[in-house]
Every structure is written in C-alpha cells, then in structure tokens.
Amino acid sequence: MKFLRYLFFCVLALTAVNAFAQSSAELKRKRDKLNEELQQLNDEYQETAKNKKTTLKQLNILKAQISLREEKINGLNTEVRLLGNQINENTNNVHSLQSQLDQLKKEYAAMIVFAYHNQSAYNKLMFVFASQDFNQAYKRLTYLQQFGTYRQRQAESIQGTQHELKVKINQLDRTKDEQNNLLKDQEKEKQTLGKEKNSQLEVISDLSKHQGELKQQLRDAQQQKAKIESQIRVAIRREVEEARRKAEAEARAAAARAAAERARANAANPGSAPKEAPVAAKASTNSELLNATPEFAKLSNDFLGNKGRLPWPVANGVITQEFGLTYIEGIKTDNPGVDIRTSAGAAVRAIFSGEVTSVNNISGTYLVVVRHGEYFTAYANLKSVSVSKGEKIGIKQNLGTVATDGATGETQVHFELYKGQNAVNPKLWLASQ
C-alpha cells in the first residue's frame, strides 16, 4: 500500500509538472508573439510620427498597441501566478526531501551504532550458534546478510536524496529568478502602457482641433466600407435567389410528376374518387435554402463546428478596428467586420474551404466573397486576386495580396463574416493568436 501511495504521488506530481510546462510554454509563445506584433506596431507608429500632421492612422496604431500591451500584461500576470504556484510546490518538495534526508541520516546513524557494537566476528558467530535449531540459525545468518545490504541501500538513499534536494533547490532558485524578471518586465510594460495612453490622449487632442479633417477621413472610410458591404449583400442575395429558384424548379417538377401520376391512377380506375393534389409546401427560409444540398449542409455544419478555431485571413496581423459601433471623439462609426493590419504584400487566405461567389473591383481594390454553405466570408482591400468566381477553394488557400494605401502607407485587410444575410463578429470565430 505504501508503494502504491508513493506511485500515485509520483504520477500526480509528474502530471502537475507536465501541465505547468505546457501552460508555461504556451504563455511564453504568446508573449513572444505579442512582442513581435508590438515591435511592428511601434516601427509603424514611429514612421507615421515623422509626419507633422496627425492622422487617424496614428490613433488606430496607438489603440492597437494599448490593446496588445494590456493583453501582454494579463499574460505576465498569469505567468507570475503560475511561477508562484511552482515556487510553493518546489518549496514544499524541498522541505519534504529535507525531512526524508534527516530521517534517513537518523536511521543510518542508529545502524552504524548497532554495527559498531556488534562488529566482532566472534559476536556474530555466537549470535548464529546460539540458535535453538538449524532453521533459526539460517534465519539469523540471513538477517545479518540482509542487515549489511540494507545499510548499504540506506547510504545510497541518503546520497540520492541529497542529490535530489540539491536539484530542487537549484530549480527553486531559477524559478524565483524567472519570477523576479517577469515582475520587472511587468512593471516596465505598465510604464510603457501609461506612456502610450498619454500619447493617445495627445493624438486625440490634436485630432479634435481638426474635426473637419477627421470627419472627412471617417466619412471616406465609411463610404468605402458601405460599398464593400453593399457588394457582399448583393452576392449573398444572389446566392439565396439562385437557391430559391432551384428549389422552386424542383418543386414544380415534383408537382408535375405528381399530377401525371394522379392522371394515370384516375384513368386506370375511372369509377374511384379522384386523388387530390398535395398541399403546396411552405416557402423555405434562407437558411434552409442555403443548406438545401447535402454538400452545403455538411459545409455549414463543419464551419460552425470550427467556431473559435478558424485561421486568420492573414498569417500575421493585428486588429486595428473592432466589429460593431465605435466612437472616435464623439463621431460614430459602424464596422460590419474587422480591420486587420498586416505587412506590405502579405498573402490573404481563405479561412475555410468553400466556393468563390464573387470577385469585384471596388475603387481600385478587390473584394472576394466565399461561400461556406449558409456562411459567407468577405476579404476586401486586395491589391490582386488569384481566384475566380465559381472556383472551389480549400482552407488557407491564397486569394490574393493585400493592398497598401499610398497616401497613409497603411496596409490592412478588411474582413467580414455572415451567417446568411446577417453580419456576425469575425473575432469570435477566429483562433486566438
């Protein structure tokens, strides 16, 4: 039972260590990713700051920086908490090992004393010969041999425990150093966050002095997004109407077949009551129409099943404007998707397999709409496209390259996601980076 309890404890400790290692490695990976994105944003902000005229792009970059910085600080908090738990666990292990070592040394000292008092070969022989019979003599001889072996094992256990204790103490010291470094990094990030928030206030203050220009920038952006949204809805409506046309054609064909069947039945039995025509089916919903075929129904189900795990439309990017209503200095803007800042010339890729339903040129940049059953994804602000309407595509297949605004130098893709004709927040469907 003692062995089983010890084995259970070892398995439990190993599982905890593995879980800690996995979570710690994942947090470090995310931290490195955030550092990379923050460095890119900082480089881009420094480039825009060279322009004496404050632009909306500067504000968007600062907002993205602040969001990422807060995310990094939250990640550091989690790392510090995990390391704190690890320090407590290692401290308990050190105390446990120290207690084991003290007990082993105590037992070993007692054996040494006993061995000293019975070190004479004469005493050992007398101990064996004083046995009442041969069986007892054999047992006493075996005991003396086992005692020597046990004493050797105890010495080895002491050495092993001392080594393990040393390893745990070194591990504890490294964990404490790592925690201290993270705390310093955390404090540094908080100071940087404060500076970025002050810069944001300065940019907002400067922009507020040029309300007319700011409103014009926002109006231009909204007009462009309105054109994109209009084209997306046209493409979706066309798909719904095509599905409805096919459904109605199939219904008419089925009705014609039923009528012919009734006519044949009535002709074969003229004396019987004529069969009545079946009641017409109710008009299907858009969801039913878009999932009318087994292929599209499966595609919709697979798309829904991957909610929160879908890849991003670009390999590396940062959301600079979120989905829905936002206010900038009291000016309301409505974003039907998300704007993702990325590197110049980056490839734009499909987030899931499907069929290209539309490729349009909007004010010099391209819009690609892809159907995934009853779901639709739209990729706007593309400089070039590498797919065509009606083409079947796979997940992460390149659709084209993102365009860079010549006036502002801003490189971002506008991404929208629809369930039927209703826009939904794409961020809820994309995997966390």
Side-chain angles (χ1 to χ4, degrees):
M1 287 301 294
K2 288 183 179 179
F3 174 75
L4 289 175
R5 284 198 295 269
Y6 175 76
L7 184 62
F8 175 75
F9 173 77
C10 290
V11 171
L12 193 64
L14 185 61
T15 303
V17 169
N18 288 337
F20 170 79
Q22 290 175 357
S23 58
S24 180
E26 178 64 18
L27 285 169
K28 288 178 181 177
R29 187 192 67 79
K30 287 184 178 179
R31 174 154 48 96
D32 291 340
K33 180 72 174 175
L34 286 170
N35 284 336
E36 182 182 341
E37 292 175 352
L38 282 167
Q39 184 60 49
Q40 292 176 356
L41 280 171
N42 185 62
D43 293 343
E44 192 170 347
Y45 180 78
Q46 295 301 327
E47 188 64 30
T48 59
K50 293 178 183 178
N51 186 353
K52 294 181 179 180
K53 182 179 178 181
T54 304
T55 64
L56 189 60
K57 179 184 177 183
Q58 287 177 272
L59 180 59
N60 288 335
I61 292 174
L62 279 169
K63 291 173 73 174
Q65 279 183 308
I66 289 170
S67 176
L68 288 177
R69 192 81 60 189
E70 289 174 341
E71 186 179 347
K72 182 181 177 182
I73 290 172
N74 289 335
L76 287 170
N77 287 336
T78 304
E79 284 192 77
V80 169
R81 187 167 60 252
L82 283 174
L83 287 173
N85 294 338
Q86 187 69 8
I87 288 171
N88 291 335
E89 184 179 343
N90 286 339
T91 302
N92 292 335
N93 288 337
V94 167
H95 290 160
S96 176
L97 286 170
Q98 188 63 58
S99 298
Q100 291 178 30
L101 183 61
D102 293 341
Q103 183 63 27
L104 286 171
K105 286 181 176 180
K106 183 178 179 181
E107 292 175 0
Y108 189 74
M111 284 190 294
I112 292 298
V113 171
F114 176 81
Y116 175 77
H117 290 300
N118 296 275
Q119 61 183 341
S120 170
Y122 175 77
N123 290 339
K124 292 180 181 177
L125 286 174
M126 288 299 296
F127 177 67
V128 174
F129 288 145
S131 303
Q132 295 179 357
D133 52 34
F134 178 79
N135 186 43
Q136 189 180 52
Y138 174 76
K139 287 182 177 180
R140 289 187 176 188
L141 183 61
T142 303
Y143 166 76
L144 290 174
Q145 292 172 342
Q146 289 177 343
F147 181 79
T149 303
Y150 179 70
R151 187 173 63 182
Q152 183 179 355
R153 283 203 305 267
Q154 283 291 91
E156 292 173 353
S157 295
I158 289 173
Q159 291 178 347
T161 305
Q162 285 176 329
H163 176 73
E164 188 177 356
L165 181 61
K166 183 178 180 181
V167 170
K168 287 294 182 183
I169 290 174
N170 290 337
Q171 185 180 356
L172 180 62
D173 291 339
R174 287 196 302 270
T175 307
K176 287 181 178 179
D177 289 341
E178 187 177 355
Q179 187 185 49
N180 288 333
N181 290 335
L182 283 178
L183 288 170
K184 291 177 183 177
D185 192 15
Q186 185 185 58
E187 186 61 31
K188 181 180 176 182
E189 290 299 323
K190 287 180 179 179
Q191 292 176 2
T192 305
L193 178 63
K195 292 178 182 178
E196 288 173 347
K197 287 185 175 180
N198 289 335
S199 297
Q200 184 186 34
L201 292 174
E202 291 175 5
V203 170
I204 290 174
S205 176
D206 195 26
L207 285 172
S208 65
K209 297 174 184 176
H210 307 86
Q211 278 282 340
E213 295 179 12
L214 176 59
K215 288 182 178 179
Q216 186 58 48
Q217 290 180 41
L218 292 173
R219 276 196 297 268
D220 292 342
Q222 284 296 101
Q223 288 174 2
Q224 181 72 359
K225 287 176 181 176
K227 291 179 183 178
I228 292 169
E229 186 177 10
S230 175
Q231 290 296 325
I232 294 170
R233 292 190 179 279
V234 166
I236 296 174
R237 188 164 54 249
R238 187 169 56 242
E239 290 295 311
V240 172
E241 290 171 354
E242 178 64 17
R244 190 180 301 278
R245 185 191 64 77
K246 289 181 180 179
E248 290 174 350
E250 289 176 3
R252 286 194 298 270
R257 288 193 298 271
E261 182 64 27
R262 287 197 308 275
R264 285 195 296 271
N266 292 335
N269 300 288
S272 62
K275 291 185 177 181
E276 295 182 358
V279 178
K282 293 182 179 179
S284 300
T285 64
N286 288 348
S287 179
E288 291 171 338
L289 289 170
L290 293 171
N291 289 316
T293 66
E295 177 188 2
F296 282 132
K298 183 179 185 305
L299 199 56
S300 296
N301 188 59
D302 292 344
F303 191 90
L304 177 61
N306 283 278
K307 184 176 181 179
R309 300 195 301 270
L310 294 168
W312 281 49
V314 288
N316 294 291
V318 179
I319 293 177
T320 55
Q321 188 172 355
E322 300 279 355
F323 172 86
L325 289 174
T326 56
Y327 291 85
I328 301 176
E329 279 301 286
I331 302 172
K332 183 175 72 172
T333 63
D334 190 6
N335 193 4
V338 290
D339 296 317
I340 304 173
R341 184 202 60 79
T342 186
S343 55
V348 179
R349 59 192 189 178
I351 68 166
F352 204 70
S353 56
E355 180 181 340
V356 179
T357 63
S358 177
V359 177
N360 292 312
N361 187 315
I362 301 176
S363 303
T365 59
Y366 291 96
L367 162 69
V368 176
V369 181
V370 181
R371 178 181 175 184
H372 319 275
E374 70 169 316
Y375 295 92
F376 295 83
T377 53
Y379 314 78
N381 197 39
L382 273 62
K383 179 176 66 176
S384 61
V385 292
S386 54
V387 293
S388 56
K389 182 180 177 180
E391 183 178 343
K392 296 288 181 67
I393 60 171
I395 188 170
K396 291 188 178 181
Q397 180 173 333
N398 284 355
L399 305 175
T401 56
V402 67
T404 300
D405 191 312
T408 64
E410 196 168 13
T411 303
Q412 63 181 18
V413 60
H414 178 71
F415 176 67
E416 297 185 23
L417 196 157
Y418 287 78
K419 180 180 181 182
Q421 294 180 308
N422 299 318
V424 295
N425 189 351
K427 193 174 180 180
L428 302 178
W429 293 73
L430 300 177
S432 58
Q433 287 195 323

